[in-house]
Amino acid sequence: MQRLICHVDMDAFFVSVEELFNPSLKDKPVVVGGKANQRGVVAAASYAARKFGVHSAMPLRTAAQLCPKAIFVEGAPHRYREYSKKVFAILNRFSPQVEMASIDEAFIDLTGTERLWGPPLRAAHALHESIQTETSLRCSLGLASSRLVAKVSSDHAKPNGVLFVIPGQEARFLAPLNIRKIPGVGKKTEASLHHFGIRRVGDLAALEEDFLASHFGRWGLALAGKARGEDAGGWFDSDVGAEEDPKSISHEHTFSDDTADRDRIETTLMKLSEMVAKRLREHRLYSRTIQLKLRDQDFSTITRACTLDHATQLDSEVASAAIRLFRGAWDGATPVRLVGVHAGSLQNAEGQMNLLEEPQTRRLREAFRSIDHIRARFGDGFISLAKTLDSNIREKVHENPFDLPGRAGPHKGEDESQ
DNA sequence: TCTGGGGTCCTAGGACCC
DNA sequence: TCTGGGGTCCTAGGACCC
């Protein structure tokens, strides 16, 4: 049966949701992402703001200069999530195979729904109208035989449009488009392709696979497939709606001003570790690799990772690893712009031998679970490792309290292998 | 103009093993 | 004694996406 994928992309999503709650914003230059003088970037810009050259990922301060009259809005993630769920529920009526690819876009597999919803374009228009009437939000829809072409065509349909690429016409549709329209081709890849005179997808499709493979490796081969509109391998190839565990969980924080205050940095690392561990428990996952991220004043960024001798989902174990890495990586003087804590090498409970769990570890794990419950009832700030630790107590982190029996403390980290 | 935060995937080198 | 080669794990960094 002919595969039929629909990509749904909400138009100026954050801005549109803000307008629903504050209609006076309508048709004005609106920038979502923070205050005009804050550190940060534009998360979304209204069409009126875009006319001034403002676009997402641009520094807020730059946006303020390009468009001094813009209205800056912090943004309300809970509202965006709420509307994202509404959209998901609508899509779910059309097919059980739905997948939110991000907060404002989704794939829906309409293969075999013809008897229910009619031919592809009719189904798409019904979908479009349901979203519009039930959420008052606009979106654009792309329909095609692959996720890749569906995504490119929804972009082509913007704003508020529907576009169906008839099966067999994929290469013809893609050929005149700029190579940047291919998902995965960013600034760098574009520059290297320009070097060979490749500017349009058609130029790419006309090349020998050998040429691409020799200059771009495996990525080159995938690129050749994309130029023909194929979901060649990887995530694009997966079934729509297949639930997968996350591969990593991380949190990071950029300070409002660069800091060399050890206490401030380590308190932040503990807070971030708590957030990471909490999400590990929510997903019932354990991490074996903890990674620290540090960014300097000059934006240079380093990462330092360590692999634990057992996987964990405990605040204290994530925090002690992060702080140990930080103490090994930071010279104590260079101002820090950003710190991050990242948990990788995730495994589920089955991969985790609870039989071997020491009683003390189990008690700690149970304690953190009850903390999660308290936080759920009274709010995140109610209980915090970081906030309850004054610098005196924190000094003791060196010696022990974060480390469980049988494992090296932060200062002994280097000797662990012996 | 001074650059967020959450992810995924890929590459490359070194250690280590057979 | 002048050096092989594959596989896996680990770490660091980078491109890219929304």
Side-chain angles (χ1 to χ4, degrees):
Chain A
M1 194 182 301
Q2 177 60 54
R3 198 172 181 222
L4 181 67
I5 308 292
C6 179
H7 183 252
V8 182
D9 203 332
M10 306 304 293
D11 295 341
F13 182 59
F14 295 172
V15 173
S16 307
V17 174
E18 293 299 331
E19 283 174 0
L20 292 181
F21 289 86
N22 181 1
S24 74
L25 295 176
K26 231 171 174 5
D27 301 321
K28 303 233 174 78
V30 177
V31 172
V32 180
K35 299 198 180 80
N37 58 353
Q38 262 181 341
R39 271 190 169 172
V41 297
V42 175
S46 69
Y47 287 99
R50 290 181 203 185
K51 285 191 184 146
F52 291 83
V54 177
H55 57 80
S56 53
M58 168 184 281
L60 290 167
R61 295 183 226 236
T62 310
Q65 289 190 336
L66 287 174
C67 186
K69 292 195 172 162
I71 301 164
F72 286 80
V73 181
E74 294 268 2
H78 67 279
R79 285 182 184 161
Y80 310 147
R81 276 195 293 274
E82 178 191 330
Y83 275 84
S84 189
K85 282 181 188 164
K86 284 188 188 180
V87 171
F88 180 85
I90 295 166
L91 298 180
N92 224 345
R93 298 206 306 261
F94 285 79
S95 163
Q97 277 177 274
V98 183
E99 179 177 320
M100 294 305 298
S102 72
I103 198 155
D104 69 343
E105 61 178 281
F107 287 97
I108 167 164
D109 192 333
L110 293 174
T111 307
T113 61
E114 189 137 335
R115 289 176 67 185
L116 234 91
W117 304 110
L121 269 177
R122 189 180 302 172
H125 276 115
L127 230 169
H128 194 250
E129 198 171 312
S130 298
I131 292 175
Q132 162 80 56
T133 55
E134 292 177 45
T135 68
S136 307
L137 295 173
R138 293 180 172 199
C139 65
S140 299
L141 267 57
L143 284 151
S145 60
S146 65
R147 290 167 92 125
L148 178 95
V149 178
K151 184 166 166 58
V152 176
S153 68
S154 73
D155 182 54
H156 213 68
K158 277 192 174 300
N160 203 30
V162 175
L163 179 60
F164 175 36
V165 176
I166 297 165
Q169 301 297 308
E170 293 85 355
R172 248 183 79 190
F173 163 67
L174 294 173
L177 302 182
N178 194 295
I179 42 170
R180 274 300 284 272
K181 296 286 178 183
I182 300 285
V185 175
K187 227 175 170 175
K188 304 280 177 174
T189 308
E190 180 188 35
S192 4
L193 289 171
H194 277 178
H195 195 252
F196 294 104
I198 303 163
R199 310 192 94 84
R200 318 239 150 238
V201 182
D203 303 336
L204 197 54
L207 292 172
E208 298 287 335
E209 289 209 346
D210 287 355
F211 175 85
L212 285 168
S214 62
H215 286 95
F216 298 96
R218 286 155 58 111
W219 170 230
L221 284 180
L223 214 48
K226 283 169 190 270
R228 292 189 297 265
E230 295 162 6
D231 283 342
W235 174 84
F236 272 97
D237 239 348
S238 60
D239 281 342
V240 173
E243 277 289 327
E244 285 202 358
D245 280 339
K247 306 253 185 314
S248 67
I249 288 173
S250 66
H251 285 282
E252 57 188 56
H253 177 72
T254 297
F255 294 106
S256 50
D257 51 312
D258 301 339
T259 180
D261 178 344
R262 178 180 294 271
D263 278 356
R264 186 176 173 201
I265 299 170
E266 294 192 356
T267 302
T268 304
L269 279 172
M270 284 190 246
K271 187 77 206 158
L272 293 169
S273 300
E274 289 171 12
M275 293 162 70
V276 167
K278 181 178 178 218
R279 301 226 354 252
L280 285 170
R281 291 192 290 276
E282 283 168 1
H283 285 279
R284 300 182 182 282
L285 291 171
Y286 298 76
S287 165
R288 222 164 77 76
T289 309
I290 303 301
Q291 186 178 278
L292 167 86
K293 180 158 151 186
L294 280 182
R295 178 169 290 157
D296 273 7
Q297 285 171 300
D298 67 355
F299 220 72
S300 61
T301 308
I302 62 155
T303 59
R304 290 293 177 267
C306 69
T307 295
L308 309 173
D309 59 8
H310 69 291
T312 186
Q313 53 172 201
L314 299 182
D315 299 32
S316 51
E317 295 189 320
V318 176
S320 78
I323 285 175
R324 184 167 62 225
L325 289 165
F326 171 67
R327 290 184 180 167
W330 189 52
D331 63 11
T334 312
V336 173
R337 179 189 176 90
L338 167 148
V339 286
V341 176
H342 173 110
S345 308
L346 303 186
Q347 47 189 251
N348 54 28
E350 287 95 78
Q352 182 68 12
M353 346 77 348
N354 276 326
L355 289 175
L356 298 179
E357 187 175 68
E358 295 189 36
Q360 204 167 346
T361 311
R362 185 172 48 83
R363 280 199 296 277
L364 260 179
R365 194 163 56 82
E366 284 161 2
F368 281 120
R369 270 205 203 286
S370 9
I371 288 176
D372 289 342
H373 289 308
I374 294 170
R375 283 183 179 141
R377 283 181 62 188
F378 301 106
D380 263 2
F382 199 78
I383 293 189
S384 163
L385 257 186
K387 284 185 184 167
T388 54
L389 285 172
D390 64 32
S391 48
N392 269 342
I393 299 173
R394 210 174 302 122
E395 278 311 301
K396 292 185 187 159
V397 171
H398 285 268
E399 288 142 32
N400 194 4
F402 277 129
D403 282 287
L404 297 163
R407 224 155 321 101
H411 275 349
K412 295 181 272 177
E414 279 72 37
D415 303 323
E416 255 177 13
S417 54
Q418 290 163 20

